[in-house]
Amino acid sequence: QQPVQSPQAVILREGEDAVINCSSSKALYSVHWYRQKHGEAPVFLMILLKGGEQKGHEKISASFNEKKQQSSLYLTASQLSYSGTYFCGTGNPFGNEKLTFGTGTRLTIIP
Amino acid sequence: EAGVTQFPSHSVIEKGQTVTLRCDPISGHDNLYWYRRVMGKEIKFLLHFVKESKQDESGMPNNRFLAERTGGTYSTLKVQPAELEDSGVYFCASSQKPGRPYEQYFGPGTRLTVT
């Protein structure tokens, strides 16, 4: 079952903040966040692990709520370069196996 | 350090033809994954190699798809014969040794169009 992302799309002005949510119907063990620009490779942003460990980008933060089976990605003071489609991918308890991706959130930053 | 590379970047073939996609993972990464994104939909897992062994091929659509990873280095994904519904972007990703969740690094993808 794929995770559900919200919103599906959002348009912001430069400098505004954004929150992208990822909800799973299954227990979460790890959540991986990626950003993809059109025609390019998805770029790793952040990984959050059950138990609180995080690893990722300096200017991007995320939360992991095991109880709610949800993760949120926070983009503060957005820049034009933040535009793209954001995907969350959920892992499994064995690690290093397939990610199940959400349908993506298209973020457009305008000047 | 070189990233994940994929070849070709684009391929247009006719229904019934064969296409082979190649992926070179980051040097030293034991894990190699293939994913596919069909237009407008989510990125879907196809299969996972650890070194040269297939760990999980549960996402492979059918037996027209064959993946190999020679000597635990580069990998190929062959589609034979191609069908219209095989069109999409095929991504390869690699990550470090198994044992805990490591970030997966994606290649730029191969856009496959079957006409």
Side-chain angles (χ1 to χ4, degrees):
Chain A
Q1 199 79 5
Q2 67 181 117
V4 176
Q5 286 186 236
S6 62
Q8 289 185 319
V10 60
I11 299 173
L12 296 175
R13 292 202 175 274
E14 208 172 355
E16 291 182 334
D17 299 339
V19 180
I20 300 172
N21 300 303
C22 174
S23 296
S24 174
S25 58
K26 294 183 176 179
L28 288 178
Y29 296 93
S30 66
V31 178
H32 305 233
W33 286 96
Y34 288 83
R35 176 174 60 217
Q36 185 186 20
K37 294 183 182 284
H38 184 68
E40 298 180 9
V43 173
F44 169 77
L45 296 175
M46 173 87 59
I47 182 171
L48 302 104
L49 305 178
K50 186 176 180 179
E53 186 178 347
Q54 292 188 16
K55 188 170 157 182
H57 207 280
E58 285 180 2
K59 295 189 178 181
I60 293 172
S61 63
S63 65
F64 184 130
N65 188 323
E66 290 175 43
K67 201 169 180 181
K68 291 186 178 178
Q69 296 173 185
Q70 221 169 52
S71 174
S72 295
L73 186 72
Y74 304 98
L75 305 166
T76 56
S78 56
Q79 304 169 16
L80 294 175
S81 62
Y82 287 8
S83 291
T85 300
Y86 289 76
F87 293 97
C88 68
T90 55
N92 59 67
F94 309 108
N96 270 337
E97 292 190 15
K98 62 185 177 185
L99 295 179
T100 302
F101 284 97
T103 49
T105 295
R106 183 188 289 269
L107 176 64
T108 304
I109 308 294
I110 55 176
Chain B
E1 178 184 88
V4 177
T5 58
Q6 293 186 245
F7 182 84
S9 56
H10 292 85
S11 180
V12 181
I13 60 172
E14 292 182 355
K15 177 181 169 180
Q17 289 186 321
T18 297
V19 63
T20 300
L21 314 181
R22 174 171 169 143
C23 167
D24 286 81
I26 292 172
S27 178
H29 280 192
D30 289 343
N31 292 284
L32 187 149
Y33 307 82
W34 283 97
Y35 293 90
R36 177 174 71 175
R37 188 179 186 200
V38 173
M39 179 70 77
K41 298 200 171 180
E42 75 275 17
I43 300 170
K44 276 198 170 177
F45 168 82
L46 295 178
L47 88 159
H48 169 213
F49 284 99
V50 176
K51 297 185 180 179
E52 67 276 4
S53 301
K54 289 177 189 172
Q55 283 295 107
D56 183 347
E57 48 185 331
S58 60
M60 295 287 261
N62 49 59
N63 58 11
R64 295 185 293 103
F65 288 75
L66 175 65
E68 294 179 327
R69 189 178 182 190
T70 308
T73 55
Y74 71 91
S75 174
T76 57
L77 179 65
K78 182 193 281 190
V79 184
Q80 178 183 29
E83 298 288 343
L84 297 177
E85 64 264 25
D86 300 334
S87 295
V89 182
Y90 289 76
F91 292 104
C92 173
S94 71
S95 70
Q96 292 180 337
K97 296 178 183 179
R100 56 169 290 161
Y102 282 103
E103 56 268 36
Q104 295 183 23
Y105 293 94
F106 279 72
T110 293
R111 182 175 295 274
L112 175 64
T113 303
V114 183
T115 62

